[in-house]
Amino acid sequence: MRHYTYILLLLLLTMSCDDGDVFEVELLFDQELELCGDDESEFYLLYDTKLDPSESLTLKFPVNTATRAIFAPTDNLGEPTMLTINGNNTAFNYRTYDGDPEDLICQIIPEPGTTITNDYEAQAGAEVLFVSTFEDDDNDGIPSILEGRGELDENGLYSNAQDTDGDGIPDYRDQDDDNDNILTSAENPNYDEILGLVNAQNTDLELPGGDTIPDYLDADDDGDGVLTRNEDTDDEGISPLNDFDTSNGANNIPRYRDPNATDEYIQLESLVNQYTRRVFVDVTILQANIDILSIEPLYLGTYIGDAEPITEEDE
Ligand SMILES: [Ca+2]
Ligand SMILES: [Ca+2]
Ligand SMILES: [Ca+2]
Ligand SMILES: [Ca+2]
C-alpha cells in the first residue's frame, strides 16, 4: 500500500489580477483527491478542498471510453494518460470560498456568486497527466509481498506469482492458499509486522507424518495422508464445505486435525474466491504557459479508489 506523507507541502500558484499585477497564493492541500461522478455520469470531477482559508482545486473532464480507463487500469505499467485543458468540457479551477466548499463542490457546474468568492480557471492548453495503477489483495491477513507475488513483468502484471495450490489463483489473491476449503485467515498465519510469519500455526509439526509447512499452505494439516478438504471440520464451523460428520469426531478433535481419524469424504467443490482491487490515480497538471495560473508541473494529488470486490472461480 502506498503511503503519501505530504503533510505540509507548499505549493505556489502565481496568479495575475485583472490589472496585470501578479500575486502569489499559498496552496496547502493534502493532495488526497476525491471524486464526484462515475462511469455513467457526464463528467468526472477530481478535487481537493481545504479550510482556513476555504479553497478548492477541481479538475473536470468528460466521461468517455478513454477517461473511464483512467479509473480501471488493466496493468501496472503506469503508462500516462494525457488530457488537454480546453476551457470547455475539460477544466481546471482554483476557487476560494467564504465557507466550507464541501457541499458545493460536487455540483459539476456550480453557480458562482453564492459562496464562491474567487474562481480562477486555467486557460486552454495546459495538460493533465494521469498515472493509474492498482493493488489487488485477498485480505487474508498476509501482505501480498509475503505471498510470493514477485515482480511485475513486462506487461505490468504479476504473472510469476506463487500459486501454492495450483488452482490458477495466485496466493496474493487467493483467500484459500492451499485449497483445503478453510480460508487462510482461519488457519492462523499469525502474521506479525516485525516477526513476519514465523509463528504461523502448524498442526502437524510434531505429529507422525508431519511437516514444517504452516497450516495455511498445507493441504493435509494433520499429516495423516487424507486431504483436509476430504476430512471433517466438525463443529468448528470453519468451512461450510467440509462438514461431513455429525459426531464430534474421535477425541473431540476435528478430523482434519486428528491424525488418527482417517475417514475420507470426497469434496470436489471449492470455496468461491473473492479479492479486492484498489485503484490509484496520480494527477499532475503540466505546462506553465497559462495566463491566469502560472504553474510549473503541479502534482495535484492522488485519488485512491475504494477496495472493489472481485469474485473469481478457481480453475
Ligand atoms: Ca492468500
Ligand atoms: Ca486453506
Ligand atoms: Ca503442516
Ligand atoms: Ca489430513
Side-chain angles (χ1 to χ4, degrees):
M1 181 66 62
R2 297 165 179 217
H3 189 67
Y4 291 93
T5 51
Y6 299 96
I7 294 170
L8 198 69
L9 188 71
L10 179 68
L11 297 175
L12 292 178
L13 286 193
T14 305
M15 315 191 114
S16 61
C17 302
D18 292 342
D19 59 6
D21 290 344
V22 172
F23 62 97
E24 288 189 335
V25 182
E26 289 185 1
L27 296 180
L28 299 167
F29 289 84
D30 65 7
Q31 299 177 320
E32 295 172 5
L33 303 182
E34 297 181 78
L35 175 68
C36 297
D38 56 33
D39 292 351
E40 305 304 316
S41 307
E42 186 178 357
F43 291 100
Y44 293 113
L45 186 78
L46 282 168
Y47 68 95
D48 203 353
T49 61
K50 60 180 282 299
L51 298 173
D52 297 324
S54 296
E55 297 169 336
S56 71
L57 294 171
T58 58
L59 177 66
K60 183 186 83 167
F61 51 104
V63 175
N64 54 43
T65 302
T67 56
R68 283 189 190 103
I70 291 170
F71 298 100
T74 55
D75 62 59
N76 268 315
L77 287 175
E79 297 278 3
T81 301
M82 306 288 290
L83 290 182
T84 302
I85 301 289
N86 58 20
N88 180 18
N89 62 7
T90 303
F92 178 59
N93 289 67
Y94 163 67
R95 295 191 177 108
T96 63
Y97 303 81
D98 57 9
D100 188 343
E102 194 64 36
D103 291 338
L104 265 186
I105 206 78
C106 281
Q107 301 175 29
I108 294 295
I109 308 172
E111 292 295 325
T114 49
T115 61
I116 299 173
T117 51
N118 285 292
D119 187 354
Y120 303 97
E121 181 169 342
Q123 292 188 352
E127 293 201 278
V128 189
L129 184 153
F130 301 87
V131 174
S132 306
T133 54
F134 63 84
E135 289 260 355
D136 292 338
D137 194 349
D138 54 15
N139 305 294
D140 65 1
I142 307 173
S144 293
I145 198 167
L146 293 182
E147 291 206 81
R149 189 179 64 178
E151 302 294 326
L152 284 174
D153 66 15
E154 60 186 12
N155 297 314
L157 301 171
Y158 295 104
S159 57
N160 296 314
Q162 167 182 304
D163 178 12
T164 296
D165 54 20
D167 65 353
I169 303 172
D171 288 1
Y172 76 96
R173 288 202 321 240
D174 197 340
Q175 293 180 302
D176 178 9
D177 294 300
D178 54 6
N179 209 23
D180 65 0
N181 282 339
I182 302 175
L183 296 178
T184 290
S185 59
E187 296 205 76
N188 302 318
N190 296 326
Y191 167 71
D192 181 276
E193 279 191 16
I194 295 169
L195 299 174
L197 289 159
V198 296
N199 290 318
Q201 173 180 294
N202 182 11
T203 297
D204 60 4
L205 179 63
E206 294 178 357
L207 292 177
D211 54 45
T212 57
I213 303 169
D215 287 0
Y216 76 96
L217 295 177
D218 193 344
D220 175 11
D221 293 301
D222 56 6
D224 64 359
V226 183
L227 293 176
T228 292
R229 65 184 290 121
N230 296 333
E231 295 204 72
D232 192 76
T233 57
D234 202 76
D235 57 356
E236 287 195 330
I238 205 166
S239 172
L241 285 182
N242 293 15
D243 193 8
F244 309 106
D245 184 3
T246 54
S247 77
N248 283 330
N251 311 314
N252 256 346
I253 303 171
R255 290 178 176 279
Y256 79 103
R257 291 202 279 117
D258 182 353
N260 296 312
T262 55
D263 289 339
E264 191 170 27
Y265 309 80
I266 300 299
Q267 174 55 276
L268 299 177
E269 195 180 343
S270 294
L271 295 174
V272 173
N273 191 56
Q274 191 175 75
Y275 63 96
T276 57
R277 173 164 296 182
R278 192 187 291 276
V279 169
F280 302 80
V281 182
D282 293 341
V283 184
T284 304
I285 311 288
L286 299 176
Q287 194 167 329
N289 186 22
I290 321 169
D291 285 347
I292 194 164
L293 293 178
S294 177
I295 51 176
E296 295 306 314
L298 169 69
Y299 168 66
L300 193 59
T302 299
Y303 167 73
I304 302 177
D306 294 331
E308 300 289 349
I310 298 175
T311 300
E312 65 184 345
E313 308 279 348
D314 63 6
E315 290 173 351

